[in-house]
């Protein structure tokens, strides 16, 4: 399942500015800090994030055709504000949800596995 594109546009302009106020501190959220591959402009994208054995997993709720994913793939990584700290992430890989679920740590692994999305991005912490 993929969420509709109209919702992605709504979130980009309405929800994301609000979420940026708290997503860097809240559990299962983070703010991905990346640079536009064409514009060289800095972006801060709030996302649902799950800790893994090597870094983080991010479900692709709107599918793999996302600008933030293209930006971090072109750059080879990004920074993320999470739990009040900034971490450096590298090696973005799009994988199936089931493959990503095998790397997710803790009690949220079962929640992650049940969410109705097909793909995720794995990033390794530097």
């Amino acid at each position: 399942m993929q969420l509709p594109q109209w919702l992605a546009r709504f979130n980009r302009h309405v929800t994301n500015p609000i979420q940026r106020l708290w997503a860097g501190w809240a559990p299962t959220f983070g703010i991905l800090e990346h640079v536009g591959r064409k514009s060289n402009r800095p972006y801060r994208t709030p996302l649902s994030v799950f800790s893994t054995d090597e870094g983080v997993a991010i479900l692709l709720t709107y599918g793999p055709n996302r600008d933030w994913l293209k930006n971090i793939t072109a750059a080879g990584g990004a920074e993320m504000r999470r739990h009040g700290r900034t971490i450096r992430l590298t090696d973005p890989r799009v994988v199936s949800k089931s493959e990503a679920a095998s790397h997710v740590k803790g009690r949220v692994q079962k929640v992650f596995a049940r969410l109705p999305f097909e793909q995720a991005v794995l990033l390794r912490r530097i």
Side-chain angles (χ1 to χ4, degrees):
M1 177 185 143
Q2 224 174 267
L3 295 176
Q5 295 307 303
W6 67 263
L7 184 58
R9 287 187 296 275
F10 176 82
N11 283 339
R12 179 182 295 166
H13 298 289
V14 178
T15 310
N16 287 1
I18 296 166
Q19 285 185 334
R20 277 193 286 271
L21 298 173
W22 52 266
W25 297 90
T28 72
F29 282 93
I31 299 175
L32 186 68
E33 298 172 345
H34 54 102
V35 177
R37 64 198 178 283
K38 296 176 185 175
S39 67
N40 208 31
R41 178 181 164 201
Y43 292 96
R44 298 178 72 237
T45 305
L47 298 165
S48 294
V49 181
F50 299 84
S51 294
T52 66
D53 46 6
E54 292 187 336
V56 299
I58 303 167
L59 281 171
L60 293 174
T61 56
Y62 300 107
N65 192 23
R66 308 282 20 119
D67 283 331
W68 65 263
L69 180 55
K70 292 174 186 177
N71 291 341
I72 67 170
T73 300
E79 290 187 345
M80 179 172 283
R81 185 83 177 152
R82 190 152 190 244
H83 305 298
R85 297 186 183 119
T86 300
I87 59 173
R88 180 83 181 120
L89 300 167
T90 189
D91 300 331
R93 293 186 303 128
V94 175
V95 298
S96 68
K97 179 183 66 174
S98 60
E99 182 180 343
S102 68
H103 295 279
V104 173
K105 298 188 313 185
R107 296 179 298 179
V108 295
Q109 182 181 34
K110 290 181 183 179
V111 173
F112 183 92
R114 290 181 182 216
L115 292 170
F117 305 105
E118 299 168 11
Q119 294 177 304
V121 177
L122 290 175
L123 291 131
R124 189 173 50 84
R125 187 176 182 161
I126 297 177

